[in-house]
Amino acid sequence: DTEVTQTPKHLVMGMTNKKSLKCEQHMGHRAMYWYKQKAKKPPELMFVYSYEKLSINESVPSRFSPECPNSSLLNLHLHALQPEDSALYLCASKPGGQGYNEQFFGPGTRLTVL
Amino acid sequence: QKEVEQNSGPLSVPEGAIASLNCTYSDRVSQSFFWYRQYSGKSPELIMSIYSNGDKEDGRFTAQLNKASQYVSLLIRDSQPSDSATYLCAVNMRAGGTSYGKLTFGQGTILTVHP
């Protein structure tokens, strides 16, 4: 298995809803990432998990809450989002540790906040 | 100065021509450089990585790195309409001394290959 999977592909939610995005990889990668991408902009880093520990939080609002239950799974819990949070949410993974740093992206979840 | 800058597009080339995409970066100690291709509505796809000065070839793609000039480029030979996409340059930069770093992207260059 050489891919990163993400579910759901599309999500529409209201500002009072609670939802979660899921990311899974079975490549034995030990670093996993959440990115947010707005239209016509590059991906913007949100969180990094390294060896299942949160390593980087790019000053993301608390309405986004990441979770890494195990080395293969990464969740992003969403609560009380704003319409401006509508974007493509990308998960990526890479082998952990020093050395080469190729990151592989999942297909993304297209989120719309009404 | 932006951390990673790409030549502003859009870039339009005829089918069969060479497309040249350029990128400069600000962190002199960066060690890892990547080119991603992103089709409209899809996620970024890694097409080239380069770590040493010089050229690296993979099929129709050649990545070139010059660390002294802090410059990395991507050449696409025999361009095809299917190469039409946004190309993102990404540089792995230091993040507080951590080993996993932080991938910083340029703004992207839109390439159109017309028949």
Side-chain angles (χ1 to χ4, degrees), chain B residues 10-70:
Chain B
L11 178 65
S12 181
V13 300
E15 185 173 356
I18 295 175
S20 177
L21 305 161
N22 304 314
C23 175
T24 57
Y25 59 94
S26 61
D27 189 349
R28 183 169 290 279
V29 302
S30 295
Q31 296 293 320
S32 310
F33 308 88
F34 309 94
W35 284 98
Y36 286 86
R37 177 176 63 196
Q38 187 170 25
Y39 292 113
S40 181
K42 302 294 186 181
S43 64
E45 174 193 7
L46 180 66
I47 54 171
M48 288 291 283
S49 57
I50 187 165
Y51 305 96
S52 305
N53 278 331
D55 295 359
K56 178 182 178 183
E57 188 175 317
D58 184 0
R60 295 186 296 111
F61 298 100
T62 299
Q64 299 174 315
L65 175 61
N66 183 327
K67 290 185 181 179
S69 301
Q70 294 174 238

Side-chain angles (χ1 to χ4, degrees), chain A residues 28-86:
Chain A
H29 290 176
R30 302 312 299 271
M32 296 183 76
Y33 302 75
W34 280 116
Y35 289 87
K36 172 183 177 180
Q37 187 177 26
K38 302 282 274 184
K40 301 189 187 305
K41 297 289 187 182
E44 180 184 332
L45 182 65
M46 300 174 73
F47 302 104
V48 180
Y49 273 84
S50 178
Y51 294 89
E52 298 152 59
K53 287 186 168 48
L54 183 62
S55 305
I56 294 179
N57 176 340
E58 292 285 280
S59 303
V60 178
S62 60
R63 58 186 184 268
F64 296 92
S65 175
E67 179 196 19
C68 188
N70 59 57
S71 60
S72 301
L73 190 55
L74 187 66
N75 297 319
L76 185 63
H77 303 297
L78 314 173
H79 173 55
L81 294 193
Q82 304 297 308
E84 60 264 29
D85 296 321
S86 299

